[in-house]
Amino acid sequence: MTHFKTAEEILFGWVTRVCSANPDEIAALYHENAVLIPTFSPHTVMGPVAIREYFAQLATREGMGVRLHSKALRKHILSDSISTISGIYSFEFEVDGVLLSFPSRFSFVVDISQPKPIIHHHSSQVPRNLS
């Protein structure tokens, strides 16, 4: 596993891997003790096997992809190796033959000193306005 130099590199690598629909490569980014609060499940997912299973299920969606909204990125450096990065991305995949987009908020806690740098990942669909 390649060490990443920045939180942005980790995020861009994650997006690329999700778009390639390879759950093994996606799960390889998550630390052994990682916590994933996923977009499309009500359950928190912990550990490499469960994280891989979540992304394997997501990869079965036709047209699966993620589009990053780069202007919404926010990064906070917490130490020499630990950062948070958050923002908006949109999952896109087909539902009943129609390509749909699911804008979602995300936050990652990453440790660039680790070969599996994602420590925590939270993602949730952007809520609709109440008005």
Side-chain angles (χ1 to χ4, degrees):
M1 168 64 52
T2 304
H3 278 335
F4 294 91
K5 293 184 174 106
T6 67
E8 291 89 349
E9 282 184 16
I10 296 165
L11 175 62
F12 299 149
W14 181 89
V15 168
T16 299
R17 291 168 189 218
V18 170
C19 290
S20 73
N22 185 326
D24 292 323
E25 288 185 9
I26 300 164
L29 292 172
Y30 288 82
H31 190 271
E32 294 298 318
N33 298 316
V35 173
L36 168 62
I37 303 172
T39 314
F40 301 105
S41 173
H43 307 288
T44 298
V45 180
M46 296 186 302
V49 173
I51 289 171
R52 189 213 171 276
E53 287 174 5
Y54 172 78
F55 284 109
Q57 180 65 31
L58 197 57
T60 65
R61 295 293 193 159
E62 242 355 92
M64 180 63 206
V66 175
R67 187 172 36 87
L68 185 62
H69 301 258
S70 298
K71 291 183 180 180
L73 288 181
R74 300 291 181 260
K75 178 180 167 184
H76 298 279
I77 298 171
L78 304 175
S79 72
D80 289 343
S81 64
I82 299 176
S83 298
T84 66
I85 190 163
S86 60
I88 304 285
Y89 49 42
S90 294
F91 285 96
E92 298 172 341
F93 52 83
E94 290 183 19
V95 176
D96 296 328
V98 177
L99 185 64
L100 298 178
S101 180
F102 301 89
S104 302
R105 301 175 285 198
F106 68 86
S107 60
F108 287 90
V109 178
V110 298
D111 183 346
I112 60 172
S113 72
Q114 298 295 315
K116 295 180 172 193
I118 299 173
I119 299 169
H120 184 91
H121 176 194
H122 181 205
S123 180
S124 59
Q125 290 185 53
V126 173
R128 300 195 191 317
N129 290 334
L130 294 176
S131 57

